[in-house]
Structure formats: C-alpha cells, structure tokens
Amino acid sequence: MSTLKTDTTGAEHHEAVDVHRVPTGDEKYATGKVIEVQAASVALAAALAAQKPKLFSKNMLKLYFIMSVGYLISTMNGFDGSLMGSLNAMTPYQKTFHLDGAGSSTGVIFIIYNLGQIAAFPFCGVLADGYGRRVCIFVGCFIVLVGTAIQASANGRGQFIGGRFILGLGASLASAAGPAYTVELAHPAYRGTMAGMYNNFWWVGNILAGWTTYGCQKNLTTSWAWRIPTIVQAGLPSIVMVLILFFPESPRWLIAHDRREEALAIFTKYHGEGDEHSPVVQLQYHEIIEQMSLTRNENPWWDYRELVNTRAARYRLYMVIGMSFFGQWSGNNVVSYFMPEMIKNAGITSTNKQLLINAINPIFSMMGAVYGATLLDKLGRRVMMLAGLGMGLVAYILLTAFTAASESHASLSYGVIVSIFIFGVVFAWGFTPLQTLYAVECLENRTRAKGSGLNFLFLNVAMVVNTYGISVGIAKIGWKLYLVYIVWIVVELVIIYFFFVETAGKTLEEMHDIFNAANPRKESTKKTKVEIDETGRVVNIDG
C-alpha cells in the first residue's frame, strides 16, 4: 500500500503514511472525499481507509489489556514522587531517621533513588535489546521488590538509602523498556492516545501513594505510618512481573532478531483483526523490514555511537535530551516532591491538611492528563506541549504572587492551593502524556531501547540536580525559588517552537525521512491534502 515517489536524486522512496484522524460518521468514505493529513502519510491514510480499525473488537480489547498492564510500569516513579513528599512531612518518619523535612540530608535521601536509576543505564541496552522488552521489564520489577523489602524494614538511614538505590535501579530498567514496549505494540491509528496513556499512569502511582500515606498518618503514630506505604509500593510492580511474560513480545524487536513470522502473527492479531493481508498489517510489516535492511547495524550493546554518528541521529538525540530535561525542569518536580513544604510556606501548617491536599491534587492532574492523551492525534504533539507549558507559565506566575502575598495576608494562602492545582492540571494535560511517548517516537527501531535508557539517564540527571537544588532552595529562599522556573519555562517554549518536530500522523518508520530533511521541524509540520475513495485508493495528492 506504500506510494512510491522519486526524489530529486532519482532514488525511489516510500511516501510516508498515517492519518491525523480517520473520517467517521456521516463522512464515510465517499469517493473524492478530501482528507487532510500530515506530509509523508499517504499510504497509511489509504490503509486505514481500506480497513477502518474496530475500537471494541475482541482483539482490540485484548490489546488494551496488554497495554494497561504495561502502563503500570509508569506508576513506580509516580508512587515514589508522592510517597517521599508525604513521608517527609510525617513525624514518625522524621523521628526514625532524625530528619527535619528540608535541607541537604533530605535532598540526599530523595535523590539516591535517581542515582540508582542512573546506575541502571549500562544494563538497559543489553537486557531490552539482547533479551527483549518483556525480560527487561520482568528483571526491573523483580529488583524493585528487593529494594522495597530493604527500604521498608530499615531502622537506620543507611539501610533506607540503600533500599532506595536498589529500588531506583529496578524502576529504571523496567521504565527503559516499558515505553518502547507500549509504543511498538500500539495500533498506528491511535498511537498518540494508546501510548500517551503510559505516562499518565504516573498519576495512578502518585494517587495511590498520596491516599495511603494520608490514611496511615491519620491513624498511626508508630513507624508503621511510613512502613506500610513503603510496602504498598511493591504492589503494582508485582502484578506487572507476574503477567508480562505471558504477553506478546514487541513485533519490532522480533523482526530485528529475524523472527518475522512471530512478528507478523502479532500484527495480524492485534492490528489486522486476524487478517494477515490487512493493508495496515502489511504496510507496517514491510516498512519495518525495509528500514531494518537499510539501517541494520550490529553494534554491541555497549556501543552507543549509533545515537550520534549522523546528523539525523544527533537531531533525534536532541529531542530525547530536551524532553528529559523539560519534563523535570518545568516546575512540576517542585509540586510532586515538595508540595507539603510549599503549602507550609503558604501558611498552612497542619500536617493532616498538607497530606490531604497532596492526596487530592493528583486526581485532578490525572484527569487533565487522560483528556490530553485523547487529543494528541488530533492536535499534534507540538501544540499540546506549547499550550500546556504556556498555561503552566501563567499558573506559576500566580503561584509566585499568591505565595509572596500570603506572608502578609494569610487569607491569600488558599490562592496558593488553587494555583498549584491549576498548574498540575494544565501541565498534565499538555506534557504528561508526551514525556515518554515523544522520546520513543523520535528514536529509530534499532536504537529505541538504547535511546530510552539514555532518556532515563538524562531524566535522572535532571532530577538529581533539580531535586537536591529544590530541597536546599526551599530551605534557603522559600518561594523566591519559583522565579527561576518562570524564566526557564519561557526558555523551553522558545526551544520547542523553533526546534521540536511533529511526530503525530506518521508511523514510527516514517520519522526517518523527517529527521533526514534539511530542516526536520519544518518538514514535520508540512501538510498534504489527499483524496481517498471508498476502497482506500489514493485518487489525488495536493501538496
């Protein structure tokens, strides 16, 4: 179903394929109906027109279940973010480890989790590329259970820190393979929503931790007030570990390891409704094989040069690094880890009130994130990022103003709470679904596991710097720290507008032509008008 065109060099290449949306309802597929799609997306538009996906078929429902278990991997980091912020406000926790809630000692305990994630980086490629996405996820979840046991049984700061290091190492291994697994299994017509939901489950972990710690703080006065939430942290990784090996492997990984029949069977079942000759199945299958034959490189797992050895590879890497830092340095880390301290700075000193607000906030944020994920294919990745950060900037300005004013007018402290909630919702709406999705979309099939590992390396470097800096900054200068984030968000908006590519409306393989263009950002935002008849045949291309 690919449309072959000849470029200025005389070489033949596949006209790219995918749709921003598939016509529905009274649009049907009348002959000559004009469908506007992203440039380089004609063949997939035709394939989807010829065989419209069935959202609630038996095989699609099975795919949703597989994807939803994959989403649970994302809960690990969300749980830890809320858990440590809440434990940090608990008197039994502070007594056990002789802490006061802020300062460098608190910062070290927080960031040791991220140091464990950084330490996992060398092992991500060998497990995810060498043994498969599922094995990497299984091993990561098992290590998380070990780390949880060490952390929950700690009576001294050393053991607690050691447990958090191991916990972070396991979470990083699972998280390096999790996004790749979900995006490579997602149906191409709904990749934005299906794969974008992965990072939204960060909030599920955040919510679970928030309410567990709130209940324990309210009803317990012994060390079990912090031990029980720590034990609960192992619950969802246990489910993933038990189920993941019963699920299909990534078809793209299978093709890369010369197991084409297995890959075709998976595409046939979950993307073609059992029809091996489905246009969508055949298009993806042959595109992957074609790309593998053109770009195959037998680099060993420890050789990361293929991530930087061409101009296109470096541009892809810039996108990965950008999302790693922007996803942590946009002010969201302050809210997730230090919300009780932020609320305390605003004049609300009750620990129960602090933890209650900390437990309620992620519910609203998750609602925003889920809604945002449903819009990714319609609005595009760039629009979502720019709109989410733009609204987040306004919320941060309000947060700064209300916090400063509440020092002399206590009644304005609730304006701080409102600003925090607004920021959480709009940032989650525009950015949360993309924090892992965008990076894996920008990476090639053969570098996706290594690149995902590198993504989490940079992400955790950003978090280490950020988290430790926030801990010290809040203790030293309080709300004035927010001014730094206001300036940085403006910088992020400028960089995204001028350099970030649009990945919506294209298959993963079609990003190859985008990144090889002279101006990838400009090439990615071109539009083409395509006329497709009721059989899925392209009758006219304009653009």
Side-chain angles (χ1 to χ4, degrees):
M1 294 301 295
S2 296
T3 302
L4 285 176
K5 296 188 75 176
T6 303
D7 62 21
T8 55
T9 67
E12 285 189 330
H13 63 278
H14 282 279
E15 183 73 12
V17 282
D18 193 5
V19 285
H20 246 348
R21 63 184 182 85
V22 178
T24 56
D26 58 2
E27 289 182 357
K28 309 277 185 196
Y29 288 103
T31 301
K33 178 66 184 178
V34 177
I35 306 170
E36 185 170 278
V37 300
Q38 289 283 3
S41 48
V42 177
L44 186 55
L48 291 171
Q51 186 181 45
K52 183 181 176 182
K54 299 176 182 178
L55 277 172
F56 300 106
S57 68
K58 181 179 179 180
N59 286 331
M60 282 292 277
L61 291 174
K62 289 180 180 178
L63 181 59
Y64 298 152
F65 176 71
I66 293 168
M67 298 284 283
S68 66
V69 173
Y71 300 156
L72 296 181
I73 299 165
S74 186
T75 64
M76 288 186 270
N77 290 322
F79 195 103
D80 191 79
S82 179
L83 174 71
M84 291 311 300
S86 299
L87 294 189
N88 199 42
M90 286 185 176
T91 301
Y93 168 81
Q94 293 177 358
K95 285 183 177 179
T96 301
F97 300 113
H98 309 292
L99 299 167
D100 60 9
S104 59
S105 295
T106 295
V108 168
I109 288 178
F110 278 27
I111 66 171
I112 199 67
Y113 177 85
N114 307 116
L115 294 177
Q117 294 199 312
I118 292 172
F121 168 65
F123 308 104
C124 295
V126 65
L127 285 172
D129 279 337
Y131 297 93
R133 315 312 194 208
R134 298 177 307 154
V135 169
C136 190
I137 292 169
F138 177 87
V139 172
C141 290
F142 177 77
I143 294 173
V144 164
L145 301 191
V146 174
T148 300
I150 294 171
Q151 181 176 307
S153 61
N155 290 303
R157 197 182 298 179
Q159 182 179 336
F160 190 81
I161 289 174
R164 284 187 55 70
F165 181 87
I166 295 172
L167 188 67
L169 189 148
S172 184
L173 288 175
S175 298
Y181 182 72
T182 54
V183 80
E184 289 172 353
L185 271 178
H187 195 291
Y190 310 110
R191 192 179 74 235
T193 299
M194 293 182 74
M197 283 296 294
Y198 174 89
N199 207 52
N200 290 350
F201 271 62
W202 189 96
W203 291 110
V204 174
N206 199 273
I207 291 166
L208 179 61
W211 284 102
T212 302
T213 50
Y214 174 69
C216 290
Q217 161 68 22
K218 194 172 182 179
N219 295 290
L220 298 170
T221 57
T222 66
S223 65
W224 283 104
W226 65 264
R227 294 186 196 276
I228 289 175
T230 303
I231 294 170
V232 172
Q233 191 167 15
L236 296 180
S238 300
I239 295 173
V240 177
M241 189 180 75
V242 169
L243 294 178
I244 193 65
L245 294 181
F246 294 98
F247 291 163
E249 182 54 84
S250 160
R252 287 170 169 85
W253 183 86
L254 291 171
I255 290 174
H257 287 75
D258 297 320
R259 295 162 63 179
R260 297 183 179 184
E261 293 79 8
E262 294 175 61
L264 181 59
I266 292 169
F267 276 137
T268 298
K269 181 175 182 179
Y270 296 107
H271 294 181
E273 296 298 337
D275 180 8
E276 182 178 308
H277 302 290
S278 161
V280 175
V281 170
Q282 289 297 315
L283 176 65
Q284 292 181 94
Y285 180 67
H286 289 294
E287 275 192 341
I288 296 167
I289 291 174
E290 180 181 8
Q291 188 189 66
M292 291 289 183
S293 65
L294 291 173
T295 63
R296 188 158 193 144
N297 190 329
E298 302 295 346
N299 279 353
W301 64 268
W302 45 263
D303 190 344
Y304 283 76
R305 286 178 296 179
E306 60 185 334
L307 290 170
V308 296
N309 60 4
T310 65
R311 176 183 173 275
R314 289 190 293 274
Y315 205 106
R316 291 174 186 269
L317 187 59
Y318 297 152
M319 299 297 95
V320 171
I321 294 172
M323 284 301 291
S324 297
F325 283 91
F326 293 177
Q328 302 303 319
W329 285 7
S330 300
N332 50 311
N333 224 13
V334 183
V335 175
S336 63
Y337 272 86
F338 290 92
M339 183 182 286
E341 285 294 315
M342 294 172 75
I343 297 167
K344 184 178 178 181
N345 285 341
I348 300 174
T349 57
S350 167
T351 300
N352 278 338
K353 276 189 177 181
Q354 291 171 10
L355 294 183
L356 179 60
I357 293 169
N358 192 57
I360 293 174
N361 178 60
I363 296 175
F364 288 90
S365 295
M366 184 174 179
M367 291 168 62
V370 170
Y371 180 55
T374 66
L375 299 175
L376 284 174
D377 290 318
K378 181 178 181 180
L379 298 182
R381 313 325 190 217
R382 283 167 47 85
V383 170
M384 293 291 288
M385 281 189 274
L386 291 169
L389 281 178
M391 291 186 289
L393 175 62
V394 174
Y396 237 84
I397 292 171
L398 291 174
L399 170 63
T400 305
F402 278 120
T403 306
S406 66
E407 290 183 347
S408 54
H409 300 84
S411 60
L412 293 176
S413 61
Y414 287 96
V416 175
I417 309 304
V418 172
S419 300
I420 291 172
F421 273 60
I422 292 173
F423 174 81
V425 171
V426 299
F427 183 84
W429 174 84
F431 226 81
T432 297
L434 288 168
Q435 282 182 267
T436 52
L437 169 64
Y438 188 77
V440 294
E441 284 185 323
C442 287
L443 293 162
E444 292 182 280
N445 288 327
R446 66 189 174 89
T447 61
R448 188 163 291 121
K450 289 180 180 178
S452 294
L454 198 62
N455 176 35
F456 275 89
L457 172 67
F458 284 113
L459 182 148
N460 283 286
V461 168
M463 289 183 70
V464 167
V465 174
N466 202 24
T467 305
Y468 188 79
I470 294 168
S471 183
V472 176
I474 284 184
K476 298 289 185 182
I477 61 175
W479 64 267
K480 296 179 181 67
L481 179 68
Y482 308 156
L483 296 171
V484 176
Y485 288 99
I486 290 174
V487 174
W488 179 247
I489 291 172
V490 173
V491 173
E492 290 179 346
L493 286 167
V494 173
I495 293 174
I496 289 171
Y497 182 81
F498 286 104
F499 297 103
F500 273 43
V501 301
E502 179 57 71
T503 61
K506 305 163 187 69
T507 64
L508 296 174
E509 288 66 40
E510 290 156 9
M511 293 306 298
H512 175 80
D513 290 337
I514 298 297
F515 283 106
N516 280 289
N519 186 330
R521 192 273 304 168
K522 187 176 181 180
E523 182 70 19
S524 72
T525 54
K526 285 183 180 178
K527 292 195 184 256
T528 301
K529 287 186 178 180
V530 183
E531 293 183 20
I532 301 174
D533 66 18
E534 70 276 7
T535 67
R537 184 173 62 89
V538 176
V539 296
N540 186 48
I541 300 175
D542 179 18

